[in-house]
């Protein structure tokens, strides 16, 4: 990010966030005497760290358009590393789920293929988006296919977060309405930002068309 904010950028940012996620998970495991419950807390904590990182990547480009300043431009520049940090956080979510399944033998039998479907679909998209963030994978795709995959994947992941929080409001706590509302606000910011970007592009095109159509007239002799 911008040097003014003294936040590391690129891979340093990725490793810093990754280390913080691992430290958070280790602390939860160390502080909780009940290992099974501790692992369940790690599942919840990594879902939340993933959500925060996902939100930053989700609104980065729109924020840079709607509120252009050093911070939002920096966020936009680091979007790739924030996205990869999100994938890492969700990888830890997956490791904790596997560990929880081992520690609590009732976990997997208590779930059906249907209840696992949204999460599995989410992991398929997270893996695809993370892989195609690297040149070795993205060079096999056209720019249009890359854009379609990333746009679809981001919306699928947003929908899974929305569903995961929304279903917990009646069954677990009304407080899950808070992250659900934050997600709705982020969706609004993203849509308005994309609309503003499309509008800017349209205006730029109209201006350049106006210039090219008025140019020959200027060369015509004035009678
Ligand atoms: C098959 C894949 C997945 C499984 C089996 C799974 C399992 C779990 C479990 C066991 C919890 C903790 C439940 C509790 O104690 O309340 C949880 C929480 C959560 N998961 Fe996953 N998950 C999966 C994939 C995903 C994906 C792909 C996302 C998002 C894109 C996601 C988002 C969440 C959220 C938002 C929470 C709630 C965290 C909180 O309590 O604040 N999960 N998941």
């Amino acid at each position: 990010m911008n040097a003014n904010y003294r936040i590391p950028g690129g891979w340093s940012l990725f490793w810093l966030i990754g280390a913080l996620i691992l430290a958070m998970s280790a602390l939860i495991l160390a502080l909780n005497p009940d290992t099974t419950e501790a692992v369940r807390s790690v599942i919840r904590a990594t879902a939340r760290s993933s959500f925060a990182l996902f939100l930053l990547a989700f609104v980065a480009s729109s924020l840079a358009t709607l509120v252009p300043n050093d911070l939002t431009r920096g966020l936009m520049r680091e979007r790739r590393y924030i996205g990869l940090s999100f994938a890492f956080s969700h990888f830890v979510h997956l490791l904790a789920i596997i560990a929880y399944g081992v520690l609590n033998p009732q976990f997997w039998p208590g779930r059906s293929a249907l209840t696992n479907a949204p999460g599995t679909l989410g992991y398929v998209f997270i893996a695809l988006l993370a892989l195609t963030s690297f040149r070795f994978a993205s060079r096999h795709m056209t720019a249009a296919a890359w854009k379609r995959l990333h746009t679809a994947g981001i919306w699928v992941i947003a929908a899974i977060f929305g569903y995961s929080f929304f279903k917990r409001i009646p069954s677990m706590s009304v407080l899950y309405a808070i992250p659900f509302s934050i997600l709705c606000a982020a969706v609004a910011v993203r849509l308005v930002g994309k609309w503003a970007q499309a509008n800017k592009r349209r205006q730029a095109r109209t201006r350049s068309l106006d210039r090219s159509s008025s140019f020959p007239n200027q060369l015509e002799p004035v009678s």
Side-chain angles (χ1 to χ4, degrees):
M1 288 219 185
N2 193 291
N4 294 338
Y5 292 95
R6 296 186 187 284
I7 296 171
W11 284 111
S12 309
L13 179 65
F14 172 83
W15 291 119
L16 174 70
I17 297 173
L20 286 173
I21 289 165
L22 290 179
M24 170 188 78
S25 307
L27 200 69
I28 293 171
L29 291 174
L31 292 180
N32 200 326
D34 181 339
T35 312
T36 311
E37 270 315 299
V39 170
R40 189 168 175 173
S41 299
V42 171
I43 298 178
R44 286 209 193 109
T46 48
R48 291 169 194 180
S49 55
S50 301
F51 181 57
L53 292 164
F54 173 78
L55 282 183
L56 290 177
F58 186 67
V59 296
S61 137
S62 294
L63 277 185
T65 304
L66 297 172
V67 202
N69 59 39
D70 283 353
L71 187 65
T72 55
R73 274 189 289 268
L75 192 63
M76 174 70 187
R77 221 175 15 256
E78 302 303 334
R79 207 167 41 153
R80 173 174 182 244
Y81 299 95
I82 295 170
L84 286 170
S85 308
F86 155 71
F88 178 77
S89 176
H90 236 63
F91 176 63
V92 181
H93 188 69
L94 180 64
L95 291 182
I97 290 166
I98 294 168
Y100 188 67
V102 173
L103 292 165
N104 176 8
Q106 281 109 53
F107 177 63
W108 289 115
R111 297 177 67 94
S112 65
L114 194 66
T115 50
N116 286 329
T120 307
L121 181 70
Y123 273 114
V124 169
F125 273 103
I126 292 168
L128 285 174
L129 298 200
L131 267 178
T132 53
S133 297
F134 292 95
R135 190 80 196 99
F136 78 89
S138 66
R139 69 164 180 233
H140 302 294
M141 307 172 76
T142 62
W146 189 92
K147 182 129 187 61
R148 265 199 304 274
L149 171 69
H150 279 250
T151 305
I154 275 175
W155 281 108
V156 167
I157 296 165
I160 294 168
F161 271 120
Y163 169 71
S164 304
F165 288 129
F166 190 75
K167 73 174 181 189
R168 286 177 166 82
I169 299 173
S171 62
M172 291 181 77
S173 165
V174 73
L175 289 178
Y176 280 102
I178 296 172
F180 183 74
S181 310
I182 293 172
L183 180 67
C184 292
V187 166
V189 168
R190 185 174 166 107
L191 292 178
V192 173
K194 294 290 166 192
W195 173 80
Q197 284 164 6
N199 225 16
K200 258 188 188 169
R201 274 196 296 272
R202 228 182 349 260
Q203 280 174 4
R205 243 194 329 266
T206 313
R207 265 199 303 275
S208 80
L209 276 177
D210 283 353
R211 263 201 301 276
S212 61
S213 63
S214 65
F215 184 63
N217 295 339
Q218 287 164 5
L219 297 179
E220 282 169 12
V222 182
S223 55

